[in-house]
């Protein structure tokens, strides 16, 4: 998840993600993503992508501050936001 681009010379926060996450087949797994915002910053949207072969990416879910969550059909019912509230915590839970 990456925040919108910031103009040159402006300070921006830091995106914190795990380099790798271990999952167990049949169990839920948390995919963490936290944005440490600077003053006056607010996260509007978090987009999760699945990277496939040959560098192709497919959208998994979009979390939007005003429009809520949209999960693509192959993942419907399996992807949930881990926490309510501000999108600075953009982690998702991938079920089963």
């Amino acid at each position: 998840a990456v925040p919108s681009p910031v103009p040159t010379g402006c300070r921006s926060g830091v995106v914190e993600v795990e380099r790798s996450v271990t999952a167990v087949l049949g169990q839920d797994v948390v995919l963490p993503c936290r944005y440490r915002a600077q003053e006056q910053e607010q996260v509007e949207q978090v987009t999760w992508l699945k990277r496939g072969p040959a560098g192709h990416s497919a959208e998994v879910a979009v979390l939007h501050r005003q429009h809520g969550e949209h999960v693509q059909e192959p993942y419907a019912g399996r992807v949930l936001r881990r926490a309510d509230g501000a999108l600075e915590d953009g982690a998702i839970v991938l079920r089963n």
Side-chain angles (χ1 to χ4, degrees):
V2 179
S4 298
V6 176
T8 304
C10 292
R11 293 188 61 197
S12 63
V14 176
V15 177
E16 297 173 339
V17 294
E18 296 292 327
R19 190 164 183 85
S20 68
V21 175
T22 301
V24 176
L25 186 64
Q27 294 186 10
D28 297 352
V29 63
V30 174
L31 303 178
C33 178
R34 174 166 287 283
Y35 183 69
R36 273 197 281 154
Q38 296 292 319
E39 198 173 318
Q40 304 300 317
E41 281 188 313
Q42 186 174 40
V43 177
E44 291 291 321
Q45 178 175 304
V46 176
T47 302
W48 281 92
L49 303 171
K50 179 180 180 182
R51 189 177 306 152
H56 295 290
S57 294
E59 187 177 282
V60 172
V62 175
L63 314 176
H64 194 278
R65 188 171 69 84
Q66 293 180 327
H67 303 295
E69 304 165 29
H70 176 73
V71 178
Q72 293 297 327
E73 187 54 42
Y75 303 97
R78 292 189 54 219
V79 173
L80 308 167
R81 261 195 85 189
R82 181 178 66 173
D84 292 329
L87 285 177
E88 280 73 16
D89 183 353
I92 58 173
V93 176
L94 184 58
R95 300 184 66 204
N96 192 17

